[in-house]
Amino acid sequence: MTTQRYHHGNLREALAEAAVQAVREHGPDGLAVRDLARRVGVSHNAAYRHFADRDALVDVVAEHALAGLVVAMQRRLAGVTETEPVARARRRLIEIGVGYVDYAVAEPGLFRLLFTAYPEAPEPDGKAGDPYGLLNAALDDLVDVGYLSPAVRPGAEIGCWSAVHGFSVLCTEGPLRSMPDDERQAALTAMLSSIDLAYGVS
């Protein structure tokens, strides 16, 4: 196991970075204060002064994972080029789903910790945003442009989130984890298109 150097006064940051890397490599089970102390080359007593227990490590890694998920979703939103209001609102909802799955596939350990190993959702960073808030805003936009009926808007976020999260889990822990990238993207596109069409006003 490679140890990481840290500058005096930066031990907490070094331990946090090591915790994120450990989860990337081994999933949530890779978190242990003593192991992280070895990674950064300090005694476990020094590490415990910054993180009293594993739960404290889970908190800091979950916050990192949440911020990363938001960045992935916002990156996809920033790439939307449609200018016609309905087309733009529809594309934004699709890209939010793509960003969510992109993050899950790229960071399966962090994704798993955030949604299965953390007992309560971490508080969203006010600057980074909130994935659930991004989804709700996109659905509200669909109502505003006349594509989504106000009558079916309540609870629509649960249906969207369930579909995209379920697809992400299938791709990271389930039978779709060995699916080639192009096939996964095609399946995701088909699923998101079906959600889009289902919400269209007839």
Side-chain angles (χ1 to χ4, degrees), residues 56-173:
L57 285 170
V58 169
D59 284 347
V60 74
V61 177
E63 289 170 4
H64 177 92
L66 179 65
L69 176 57
V70 170
V71 168
M73 296 167 75
Q74 290 178 332
R75 185 180 298 120
R76 298 298 306 201
L77 286 173
V80 174
T81 58
E82 285 85 347
T83 56
E84 193 279 321
V86 173
R88 181 174 177 81
R90 292 173 66 187
R91 174 53 57 183
R92 283 174 62 83
L93 180 65
I94 288 173
E95 293 302 325
I96 281 175
V98 173
Y100 191 99
V101 176
D102 283 350
Y103 183 78
V105 172
E107 298 283 12
L110 295 174
F111 181 80
R112 182 173 166 230
L113 180 138
L114 182 58
F115 288 105
T116 64
Y118 198 56
E120 296 179 5
E123 289 296 324
D125 185 324
K127 295 180 180 178
D130 174 0
Y132 200 53
L134 290 174
L135 172 58
N136 275 288
L139 289 167
D140 289 341
D141 285 347
L142 287 172
V143 174
D144 292 342
V145 300
Y147 186 73
L148 175 62
S149 169
V152 299
R153 170 62 183 90
E157 68 278 6
I158 300 297
C160 290
W161 192 9
S162 298
V164 174
H165 185 79
F167 186 88
S168 298
V169 172
L170 288 172
C171 290
T172 56
E173 301 182 46

Side-chain angles (χ1 to χ4, degrees), residues 17-32 36 39:
E17 290 174 7
V20 169
Q21 189 58 36
V23 173
R24 281 193 172 119
E25 295 171 2
H26 307 294
D29 293 339
L31 274 184
L36 296 180
R39 275 181 180 254

